[in-house]
Amino acid sequence: MNALNPSALHSAVFDHPEMGEHENIVFVKDRDSGLNAIIAVHDTTLGPALGGCRVWPYEKPADALTDALRLSRGMTYKNALAGLNLGGGKAVIIACPRKDKSQDMMEAFGRHVDRLSGTYITAEDVGVSPEDMEAVARRTDHVRGTSATGLGDPSPYTALGVFEGIRASARHVFGSAELDGRTVSVQGLGHVGFDVARQLADAGAQLVVSDIHAPAVERALDAFGAAAVAADQAHCVDADIFVPCALGAGLNARTIPQIQARVVAGAANNQLQTPADGIALKRRGIHYAPDYAINAGGVISIALAKPGEDDGRVREKTLAIGDTLTRIFERAAREDTTPERVADKMAEERLAQSGN
Ligand code: NAD
């Protein structure tokens, strides 16, 4: 076995640029199943750390550590702002979801989650299927989002919260939450984007849709009588509202000067490529709904659903996303700062109050 030089280990882990106030970082190696994973518990001030498990073929272990550290911190903020009594954590498994993943591997992961005695609760994320989570659940009770523990697919709740967030954004910027007659550009028509588009169409919005997957566009054109635009032009549409529901980093130095909409409010995670992009949006008078505030419906459904209960409580908490966004926008205007900075502050204030 290669002995790792202690100072190299120290700089690789403890001096990692994403290392914050993480409480616990577990490196897992299970020889029999081939599992290589990192479980990062960022903060348990508000409760056990809830955050999904991602399976991804990271090129280097350092990239996996970066993701685990950054995503677990993000979950602390998302759960705190959503008013959940949960902390933030995340797990990453270094494997190709199509070639390397196995039921044995997921069961081994479940055993290691169980060893953390409930300080970390896992759920689905990129590269993980409902069947994988059932395998994890055979080895630990500290799982959410399985058929036995909840409401199943969280996407409809994410979409519900995003739609409510769009209405709150419209109310703040245009003086009315009414979307009838507003032009809205929806980028990405997957699980969340399609459902948001459906609610927008029902509310009378004129839709311009885009996706890199042509059948998804066809489906939306058929269902909503929408217009289509090339996926890389979605942000340039002469629309009132731009709704990014594809991948992250879509708001950047190239796209921001081309945005026509006065509101950007969508489901995609990590929409701002850098913090400077939030400032650039503000300078252009574009109102940005912070991603982790508007897309929290999914985690709310995972966190609060109870077997045998209807979704009333989950819907109520998800619909409150609109009020949270209104508070964020009003405070950002008062403090002459960006909405995402206010969202961070509000999450930090909740953590500080609870920690006293
Ligand atoms: P999905 O994979 O079902 O859909 C994504 C869609 O975006 C696909 O149709 C894909 O073809 C399309 N796409 C990819 N790149 C594109 C591009 N450059 N331009 C246009 N379209 C593109 O994913 P989803 O579950 O709908 O999630 C959408 C976004 O919302 C992701 O960023 C995800 O992280 C975020 N999110 C999802 C949930 C949830 O509950 N599913 C919760 C919180 C955040």
Side-chain angles (χ1 to χ4, degrees):
M1 201 172 93
N2 289 334
L4 186 58
N5 169 339
S7 73
L9 175 67
H10 193 279
S11 62
V13 179
F14 294 101
D15 298 337
H16 190 288
E18 295 295 336
M19 182 65 84
E21 303 297 311
H22 292 77
E23 289 178 14
N24 190 15
I25 300 159
V26 182
F27 294 85
V28 178
K29 190 167 178 64
D30 180 77
R31 236 176 275 145
D32 290 343
S33 68
L35 171 72
N36 286 304
I38 303 171
I39 304 173
V41 172
H42 175 256
D43 192 294
T44 57
T45 305
L46 296 173
L50 172 70
C53 167
R54 177 169 292 193
V55 177
W56 197 252
Y58 295 97
E59 254 178 49
K60 306 190 290 293
D63 296 342
L65 180 60
T66 300
D67 235 11
L69 294 175
R70 190 183 288 167
L71 293 167
S72 58
R73 179 179 182 278
M75 288 308 300
T76 298
Y77 279 70
K78 187 179 213 166
N79 292 340
L81 189 69
L84 299 170
N85 292 327
L86 289 165
K90 199 87 182 182
V92 298
I93 295 179
I94 305 168
C96 172
R98 266 175 288 119
K99 286 191 276 172
D100 309 328
K101 201 176 62 176
S102 67
Q103 296 286 293
D104 282 353
M105 188 182 276
M106 298 313 291
E107 285 198 18
F109 173 68
R111 279 200 302 277
H112 284 277
V113 170
D114 205 57
R115 284 186 187 176
L116 295 174
S117 311
T119 50
Y120 169 65
I121 301 171
T122 197
E124 268 179 53
D125 194 57
V126 176
V128 173
S129 68
E131 296 72 47
D132 295 332
M133 271 300 130
E134 300 295 342
V136 175
R138 285 198 283 277
R139 300 294 170 188
T140 182
D141 290 336
H142 307 301
V143 184
R144 294 287 179 281
T146 59
S147 50
T149 59
L151 294 162
D153 181 9
S155 308
Y157 298 97
T158 305
L160 179 70
V162 169
F163 179 69
E164 201 54 25
I166 293 171
R167 280 170 36 81
S169 306
R171 191 184 301 112
H172 182 75
V173 175
F174 306 121
S176 163
E178 275 299 309
L179 296 169
D180 195 10
R182 294 251 169 245
T183 306
V184 184
S185 172
V186 181
Q187 181 185 45
L189 299 161
H191 290 97
V192 180
F194 191 85
D195 207 19
V196 173
R198 179 186 57 72
Q199 294 174 78
L200 288 164
D202 288 349
Q206 303 293 314
L207 291 184
V208 182
V209 296
S210 54
D211 197 292
I212 48 169
H213 185 53
V217 177
E218 289 301 323
R219 193 171 151 232
L221 296 186
D222 284 351
F224 315 126
V229 68
D232 62 355
Q233 298 297 306
H235 63 285
C236 310
V237 170
D238 186 9
D240 299 304
I241 304 169
F242 173 42
V243 181
C245 292
L247 303 183
L251 303 175
N252 54 51
R254 183 183 63 80
T255 59
I256 290 170
Q258 301 170 332
I259 293 175
Q260 305 298 313
R262 284 185 62 204
V263 171
V264 177
N269 271 317
N270 303 322
Q271 292 175 38
L272 298 170
Q273 190 163 51
T274 68
D277 297 315
I279 296 166
L281 284 171
K282 180 174 181 293
R283 287 215 179 102
R284 285 212 54 219
I286 299 168
H287 292 257
Y288 167 64
D291 45 20
Y292 73 80
I294 193 170
N295 73 17
V299 78
I300 290 171
S301 83
I302 288 170
L304 297 186
K306 294 233 168 69
E309 235 181 61
D310 70 13
D311 68 351
R313 223 158 53 98
V314 168
R315 289 182 70 85
E316 192 184 322
K317 194 95 176 155
T318 300
L319 291 173
I321 287 173
D323 297 336
T324 303
L325 280 173
T326 299
R327 281 190 280 130
I328 290 173
F329 292 140
E330 289 175 353
R331 182 162 162 187
R334 272 199 315 276
E335 296 180 4
D336 190 23
T337 186
T338 59
E340 66 279 7
R341 183 65 205 112
V342 171
D344 284 359
K345 277 200 223 172
M346 282 166 60
E348 283 159 8
E349 283 162 8
R350 182 158 182 243
L351 287 163
Q353 274 164 14
S354 183
N356 289 335

